[in-house]
């Protein structure tokens, strides 16, 4: 971080705000004004072995939720087919074809697209890997968007709007990450 700016100096820094941080030094704790509490939380989050393995490579943080999303969507569509045999349906306002298209395009593919872009793009462009917080935050936003969209299936416009905003945030962050990778690229 440069000077007193609340914005990160490099993409490797997590987003910070000028608040006080508890910096762990050995076994003692020291309060300083130069760091951010958010950085400490990010550091503590990645000390758990499972989270370390998940965030070790960018594709893991995106492909694993993508796998769970595929299984979840399989369960939703199986229940839709079972309900149709009895004359009912999960979808009141959307046709199953529209719901299927939307959930595949926005609920399943973005996970795998994210994992691929965050892993392959830095190698192809000869750029630095994206920050861990980006590799974890984008799939988390996509997970939240998918859950909101599934909640919206019975016809709730509020959940659908929340899903759209979360997708927009995730894909905007992915696009910003890709733009940063392109600007770092040494490939002509």
């Amino acid at each position: 971080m440069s000077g007193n700016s609340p914005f990160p100096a490099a993409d490797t820094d997590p987003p910070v705000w000028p608040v006080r941080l508890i910096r762990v030094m050995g076994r003692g704790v020291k309060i300083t004004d130069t760091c951010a509490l958010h950085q400490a939380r990010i550091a503590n989050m990645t000390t758990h072995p499972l989270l370390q393995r998940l965030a070790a490579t960018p594709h893991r943080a995106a492909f694993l939720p993508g796998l769970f999303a595929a299984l979840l969507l399989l369960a939703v569509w199986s229940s839709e087919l079972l309900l149709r045999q009895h004359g009912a349906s999960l979808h009141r306002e959307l046709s199953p074809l529209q719901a299927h298209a939307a959930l595949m395009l926005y609920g399943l593919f973005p996970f795998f697209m994210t994992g691929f872009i965050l892993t392959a793009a830095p190698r192809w462009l000869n750029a630095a890997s994206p920050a861990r917080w980006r590799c974890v935050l984008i799939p988390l936003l996509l997970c939240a968007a998918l859950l909101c969209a599934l909640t919206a299936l019975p016809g709730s416009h509020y959940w659908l709007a929340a899903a759209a905003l979360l997708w927009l945030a995730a894909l905007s962050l992915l696009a910003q990450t890709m733009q940063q990778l392109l600007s770092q690229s040494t490939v002509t």
Side-chain angles (χ1 to χ4, degrees), residues 92-153:
R92 295 182 194 154
E93 295 183 14
L94 282 177
S95 73
L97 181 63
Q98 290 172 328
H100 177 75
L103 288 173
M104 283 295 159
L105 282 175
Y106 301 111
L108 184 63
F109 295 142
F111 288 107
F112 298 103
M113 178 182 70
T114 298
F116 181 75
I117 288 174
L118 294 178
T119 303
R123 293 178 185 158
W124 288 347
L125 297 171
N126 198 19
S129 294
R132 277 189 185 183
W133 68 268
R134 285 181 183 266
C135 299
V136 173
L137 181 61
I138 295 170
L140 284 176
L141 289 170
L142 290 172
C143 285
L146 178 61
L147 292 176
C148 287
L150 289 174
T151 305
L153 281 181

Side-chain angles (χ1 to χ4, degrees), residues 62-78:
F63 285 4
L64 184 65
L67 173 70
F68 288 130
L71 294 174
L72 180 63
L73 292 175
L74 180 65
V76 168
W77 293 118
S78 298

